[in-house]
Amino acid sequence: VYKEKLYGKKHVWFIIGWYADKWYLKPDLAINCTAEQMQEAVEGQVTTEILMVDLANTRGVSNMTSDEFISRLVKNLTKTPEETGGFQEAPLAYDAIWALALALNKTAQELAKKGMRLEDFNYSDNTITNEIYKALNSSSFDGVSGHVVFDASGARMAWTLIEQLQDGKYVKIGYYDSNNNNLSWLNTDRWIGGSPPPDRTKVVIQFRYLSQKLFISLSVLAGIGIIFGCVCLVFNIYNRNVRYIQNSQPNLNNLTALGCILTLAVVLPLGLDGLHISESQFPFICQVRVWLLSIGFGMGYGSMFTKIWWVHTLFTKKDDKKEMRQLNPQLEQWKLYVTAAVLIFIDAVTILIWQLVDPLQRTVEGFGKENLVGDDVEILPQLEHCSSRKMTTWLGIVYTYKGLLLLLGIFLAYETKSVSTEKINDHRSVGMAIYNVSVLCMITAPVAMIVSKQQDASFAFAALAVIFSSYITLIVLFVPKMRRLITRGEWQTEQHDANKTISTTLNNEEEKSRQLERENRELERIIA
């Protein structure tokens, strides 16, 4: 115990109580510890043994009290009681002799009734043996060790004395009455460190909650973005009749602004955890997260993708009708709206099927036990997640679809970078926004999965990606329009701008006619 440091405030040893009080100081050549070291190792040990004396100190069948018996016994010792082995058990031995004597007397009386004598006993005689056993088992008398009685198995039923070694001396700290299942505690126990060592290491479950400073900071940033998105939306609706705004497909821009607002709104539920919501509310928050993010992304990115798709479809086809498409490209509004609606519908249906078949629920991820807090206390970290049974499968489906859409958006943006058209006059800004959104999404998605066990890093990556992509989209699409209308004063409505539109159209037609003439002359020259 001393060599392995298995003593002190974290340990308590239970040792059989019938050893002599100074047993640990007895010289032993097999032990290479000093008396001081042995004293240090056994300090605080607890012993349990049958109570050896009668606490009431009553005069029993032997006509002696416990104190009188101890006094007579000490006079006959050649050593001190502390150095005498079995001294404490002497009252038990004395009462055991009395129990045997009384049992033999009772047996003799019972045998006399049957015409038998105790002196006729031999080891093959079961009759006398059984009588002796019954007499012993039914013994009940007051002895110097207390009331003597035996259970059905022949074991002595007595109080248990509990002692503790304090400063080299055994101190009584309690009694246990097995007959009545009663523990009497004397409150004399003393422990190294001030309290008893626990019987096991206490494991405290501690949830890893999101940093509130980080949550508040990014929520405020997202809130500012929502306000900015609302400003852009109001600006676009108010100036929808201005020619420059009309040529940018304002309805799709409204959808983009609304998508950015919904996407920014996901930052708040994304940061809610067990610190703010109850366990029963967690699945609902999980649903809010996935629906806001999916529909917001579908509206925001889907509307931009629609623009770039139709610009590519109408103006970059390399076939025999290239000239006709350049002269008279057909861009019907309903096609734009249907395309955007289809993209949003695909997102909505995918999420709906996911949540109906395998809804998101609150799951708890446990980690390895961490540092001790105080004595014999370990922290078991746990982290809350939104998850479902087939989470990997559903994420694979969503990420595959979104990833292909992002890659296709980048390709279309690159293909149309040199196209110039008044039908969608902001397609270059849309392409720039698509570049930024795609890059941020492709970087953030895998990184967020890698750091999913680190709540602060995971939230920061996801929230910042949402915030930056939304900010960039709103700034790239709407700030140039605001700047142009403010600096050039282009606040004319469709009615006021009619003459200018007619003039512009005629100039465009004349320019196209001259271009055709030049191409015809070039073809005639080649044929000739």
Side-chain angles (χ1 to χ4, degrees), residues 126-147:
N126 292 330
T127 301
I128 298 179
T129 299
N130 292 335
E131 289 295 335
I132 295 174
Y133 179 79
K134 287 193 297 181
L136 273 172
N137 200 41
S138 61
S139 296
S140 179
F141 64 93
D142 292 329
V144 294
S145 64
H147 187 68

Side-chain angles (χ1 to χ4, degrees), residues 259-271:
C260 290
I261 293 172
L262 292 178
T263 305
L264 286 167
V266 81
V267 173
L268 180 61
L270 193 63

Side-chain angles (χ1 to χ4, degrees), residues 178-459:
S178 59
N179 294 326
N180 300 312
N181 193 28
N182 179 60
L183 176 65
S184 300
W185 202 251
L186 304 180
N187 293 320
T188 55
D189 52 314
R190 191 176 68 188
W191 306 96
I192 301 173
S195 61
D199 59 352
R200 63 188 178 277
T201 300
K202 184 179 180 181
V203 178
V204 178
I205 295 177
Q206 187 178 84
F207 282 96
R208 290 180 174 177
Y209 292 129
L210 183 64
S211 168
Q212 294 308 291
K213 292 182 180 179
L214 178 64
F215 175 53
I216 294 173
S217 299
L218 294 184
S219 295
V220 169
L221 198 58
I224 295 173
I226 291 174
I227 295 174
F228 179 52
C230 292
V231 170
C232 294
L233 183 61
V234 171
F235 164 82
N236 207 57
I237 294 174
Y238 182 79
N239 296 288
R240 62 186 181 279
N241 292 323
V242 176
R243 171 59 60 184
Y244 183 70
I245 301 299
Q246 283 185 333
N247 287 340
S248 66
Q249 300 301 322
N251 290 330
L252 289 181
N253 286 339
N254 292 340
L255 200 62
T256 302
L258 188 57
C260 290
I261 293 172
L262 292 178
T263 305
L264 286 167
V266 81
V267 173
L268 180 61
L270 193 63
L272 294 178
D273 50 27
L275 190 62
H276 307 93
I277 58 176
S278 64
E279 183 176 338
S280 60
Q281 295 172 329
F282 211 90
F284 173 74
I285 296 300
C286 293
Q287 300 286 337
V288 172
R289 292 178 185 177
V290 70
W291 278 104
L292 280 179
L293 188 58
S294 298
I295 300 304
F297 183 86
M299 294 174 66
Y301 184 81
S303 57
M304 294 192 297
F305 182 86
T306 298
K307 285 185 180 183
I308 213 73
W309 170 270
W310 280 105
V311 170
H312 182 273
T313 300
L314 295 176
F315 297 100
T316 61
K317 292 290 185 179
K318 297 181 180 180
D319 52 25
D320 294 338
K321 297 183 180 180
K322 176 178 178 181
E323 291 80 5
M324 288 300 297
R325 291 180 181 274
Q326 289 178 340
L327 289 175
N328 188 27
Q330 299 296 319
L331 184 57
E332 300 174 354
Q333 298 292 324
W334 67 270
K335 293 183 178 179
L336 294 173
Y337 303 149
V338 169
T339 304
V342 168
L343 294 176
I344 298 173
F345 178 76
I346 292 174
D347 284 335
V349 170
T350 303
I351 300 302
L352 182 62
I353 294 174
W354 179 2
Q355 298 313 305
L356 289 177
V357 175
D358 189 16
L360 288 170
Q361 299 292 335
R362 174 184 178 271
T363 58
V364 177
E365 180 183 8
F367 301 91
K369 297 176 183 177
E370 292 184 349
N371 58 302
L372 293 175
V373 179
D375 293 330
D376 299 303
V377 179
E378 288 183 334
I379 298 298
L380 180 62
Q382 292 187 344
L383 184 61
E384 297 170 303
H385 293 290
C386 288
S387 184
S388 56
R389 296 189 305 272
K390 301 292 184 180
M391 188 71 171
T392 304
T393 302
W394 292 109
L395 287 180
I397 294 172
V398 173
Y399 284 171
T400 300
Y401 165 64
K402 297 292 186 182
L404 292 175
L405 203 63
L406 291 171
L407 290 174
L408 183 57
I410 293 175
F411 171 75
L412 296 178
Y414 176 79
E415 285 286 296
T416 58
K417 66 181 186 300
S418 59
V419 173
S420 179
T421 174
E422 289 188 357
K423 297 296 181 180
I424 304 178
N425 59 16
D426 63 348
H427 75 278
R428 288 194 179 92
S429 298
V430 170
M432 185 180 300
I434 287 177
Y435 285 144
N436 288 280
V437 171
S438 300
V439 171
L440 281 172
C441 291
M442 290 180 180
I443 292 176
T444 303
V447 172
M449 293 181 66
I450 293 173
V451 298
S452 61
K453 296 183 179 181
Q454 304 174 31
Q455 69 279 9
D456 289 345
S458 178
F459 171 75

